[in-house]
Amino acid sequence: MHSAGKVVVAGLAMVVFAATAYGYTTLSSLDGVTRSDVIGEQDEAKPGEQPADGALDILFVGRDSRNDMQGKPLSPDLLRELRVGPNGDDLTDTLIVLRIPNGTHDVHAFSIPRDSYVSMPGGKDKINSAFGGGKAAEAQRLRDAGETDQAKIDQAALTAGRRATRQVVEDLTGIKIDHFAEVNLLSFYEISKAVGGVEVCLNRNTQDRKSGANFRKGVQTIDGADALAFVRQREDLPRSDLDRVRRQQVFLASLAKKVLSGGTLANPAKVSDLIEAVKRSVVLDDAWNLLDFVAQMRGVTGGGIQFGTVPVVNPDYRYAAPQHPTWTAVQVDPAQVKAFAAGLIGKQGTGTPAPPSPTVDVANAKGAAGLAARVLGVLRDKGFTPGEPSVASARRTSVVRFPADLAERGAEIAKQLGGLETEQSASVPAGHVEVVLGQVYSGPGANGGGGAPGAGDTDAPITSGGVVCVD
């Protein structure tokens, strides 16, 4: 995820203008932003139109590109400042969908891990390869048709790559993407500096030579190259890419809080810098009417954006065994992903109500340090809401307890943890499922780091209302 963490910034940079009338006078300054025909005329939403699937859905894509918006390579000095090498690729290293339900201001953003193994034209592959595949196929088609203008080939190929990415996300999530925004390394660097830095919090000191990360424990303000390193770091993180996704989310939530604050909006110089950064480094679909978007986003507050990740079946899926036993991907279940995405706006694809989404509390009756927190992390990655870790009296076997109305979800949780015993119980609080991990528990999360659980061991919900400490 070399360009991870920068993609929602472009959208949030425009969301800020929804907060005040000042936005209407400054919005015209964004007329110079680069556009691309990603959506297609037949799929364009009309101004003021309520999307049929119940939400306005925006796909934010981050590409590992070392070029500026004119396609010119970034200078060696700038690449050194960014702490990246000269070679990029055509992978979409970050994919985040912003869901804005019709008629509400409850905004949800969710990440799709870059290595998610999904179906696409030509077979199954990692989702981040869709862009490069679509781009290469269109370039070859044009050359075979006799086109010799390289500039035309390049632009058409980029559009095809963006459309291919949009399509594979739609197929996986069951969501119709209404708008598209794309940024690269340079955009993240410039936008994060334009807002004067973002506050983040770490559970411990951490370093990673590959990304240039070198951070201390606790709360700190980062921008520019440090901000890029913060969201690029993968080494020295317990869950590697999944923890890096969480890094993106807490950074972006904090960014949203700052951008939507009165201090930023009331500072014409900061707003001007933000607008110029967006214009220099962001690509939007050419059907996106920003003034209409501003009207839809009026009323969103600093705490009104919630972040999550699609459910993950197996983060270490050996998809190419036995020929390539070390190759791994992130296994996702399309049915689970569709239910998760639909549940964010309270509906399923069929129009029926979403099943109850319980809070899962995990009690450690095994005695292994940090076990409850690790299992909560596993369940969060599978789309459940993490509750509280606790310690229980020693017992040999594990059990999942739930109230009668959550029997189906309780059974699903038991299955996800390796087939645990289930028990309906009136003592479990409404809206909760209780997992008790016994001495013989060996399911997901059983093995992992040592040490007693600390304040940051449980994945706290991420919103733009405050700072959450992470690894």
Side-chain angles (χ1 to χ4, degrees):
M1 244 177 259
H2 302 297
S3 59
K6 54 201 174 295
V7 293
V8 172
V9 177
L12 297 179
M14 288 176 287
V15 168
V16 303
F17 304 120
T20 64
Y22 178 68
Y24 283 92
T25 64
T26 60
L27 196 61
S28 60
S29 301
L30 280 170
D31 287 345
V33 71
T34 303
R35 299 282 188 162
S36 179
D37 184 19
V38 182
I39 303 302
E41 185 175 346
Q42 72 279 6
D43 294 324
E44 291 180 11
K46 305 299 184 291
E49 184 176 80
Q50 296 288 291
D53 66 355
L56 180 73
D57 297 301
I58 303 168
L59 173 61
F60 295 97
V61 171
R63 281 207 303 130
D64 186 21
S65 173
R66 269 68 166 172
N67 296 332
D68 62 19
M69 300 309 296
Q70 288 71 46
K72 298 177 182 178
L74 302 180
S75 71
D77 287 344
L78 183 53
L79 290 175
R80 280 192 293 272
E81 172 66 17
L82 296 175
R83 305 170 193 167
V84 298
N87 300 317
D89 51 40
D90 281 328
L91 299 177
T92 49
D93 283 333
T94 308
L95 297 167
I96 298 181
V97 176
L98 195 69
R99 301 217 77 185
I100 308 168
N102 294 344
T104 77
H105 298 299
D106 297 322
V107 181
H108 299 268
F110 67 86
S111 302
I112 302 172
R114 55 167 266 173
D115 288 339
S116 298
Y117 197 61
V118 301
S119 298
M120 61 180 69
K124 299 195 74 171
D125 205 342
K126 296 179 181 180
I127 198 168
N128 65 347
S129 68
F131 184 96
K135 178 184 172 186
E138 179 64 8
Q140 187 61 53
R141 187 190 71 79
L142 291 172
R143 285 192 290 266
D144 291 345
E147 180 60 67
T148 58
D149 187 323
Q150 191 59 45
K152 288 183 179 180
I153 293 174
D154 289 344
Q155 285 303 309
L158 283 170
T159 298
R162 291 165 184 147
R163 286 191 169 200
T165 300
R166 185 208 76 195
Q167 187 62 59
V168 74
V169 169
E170 289 185 342
D171 291 344
L172 174 65
T173 64
I175 287 174
K176 177 187 175 297
I177 298 300
D178 301 295
H179 293 302
F180 174 96
E182 176 192 309
V183 291
N184 59 18
L185 296 174
L186 180 61
S187 14
F188 176 68
Y189 174 85
E190 292 193 339
I191 291 172
S192 64
K193 289 182 75 70
V195 299
V198 172
E199 191 175 59
V200 298
C201 179
L202 288 175
N203 293 320
R204 59 190 175 88
N205 297 337
T206 182
Q207 281 186 291
D208 171 24
R209 181 178 56 83
K210 291 182 179 179
S211 67
N214 185 4
F215 299 108
R216 58 178 172 79
K217 177 181 178 180
V219 177
Q220 53 212 285
T221 299
I222 57 176
D223 67 3
D226 283 337
L228 184 58
F230 180 85
V231 295
R232 289 182 67 222
Q233 183 177 357
R234 179 171 58 180
E235 304 298 325
D236 195 30
L237 296 182
R239 295 177 298 179
S240 189
D241 274 332
L242 293 180
D243 276 330
R244 183 160 56 175
V245 166
R246 189 159 172 83
R247 283 274 192 99
Q248 298 170 39
Q249 293 169 351
V250 296
F251 180 88
L252 293 167
S254 186
L255 173 64
K257 179 184 177 183
K258 182 165 188 178
V259 169
L260 290 166
S261 72
T264 299
L265 291 170
N267 187 325
K270 283 189 177 181
V271 173
S272 178
D273 289 346
L274 189 55
I275 290 173
E276 289 306 310
V278 170
K279 286 168 64 175
R280 284 194 300 266
S281 59
V282 175
V283 177
L284 304 178
D285 70 86
D286 57 10
W288 198 341
N289 183 314
L290 296 182
L291 193 60
D292 186 50
F293 178 65
V294 164
Q296 289 176 288
M297 290 301 293
R298 277 190 172 277
V300 173
T301 63
I305 302 176
Q306 302 174 51
F307 292 79
T309 303
V310 299
V312 170
V313 175
N314 183 359
D316 192 33
Y317 178 52
R318 308 285 167 159
Y319 69 98
Q323 295 89 345
H324 302 285
T326 62
W327 290 8
T328 63
V330 175
Q331 185 181 19
V332 293
D333 180 345
Q336 287 185 12
V337 174
K338 288 180 173 64
F340 167 82
L344 294 178
I345 59 171
K347 61 180 286 186
Q348 298 296 300
T350 59
T352 58
S357 180
T359 296
V360 186
D361 302 312
V362 178
N364 182 358
K366 182 174 183 175
L371 175 63
R374 291 196 300 274
V375 172
L376 278 170
V378 169
L379 292 171
R380 178 195 61 79
D381 292 339
K382 295 181 182 298
F384 296 98
T385 301
E388 297 297 327
S390 63
V391 177
S393 300
R395 58 174 286 157
R396 183 174 184 278
T397 60
S398 303
V399 64
V400 177
R401 300 190 179 106
F402 43 80
D405 64 322
L406 290 175
E408 183 178 342
R409 304 309 300 276
E412 182 181 352
I413 291 168
K415 180 180 178 181
Q416 294 287 357
L417 295 180
L420 305 185
E421 176 186 344
T422 61
E423 178 183 303
Q424 184 173 311
S425 172
S427 67
V428 178
H432 286 244
V433 170
E434 179 184 274
V435 177
V436 181
L437 303 172
Q439 294 169 347
V440 296
Y441 179 73
S442 60
N447 299 314
D457 284 339
T458 301
D459 284 341
I462 297 174
T463 74
S464 52
V467 178
V468 175
C469 293
V470 294
D471 287 322

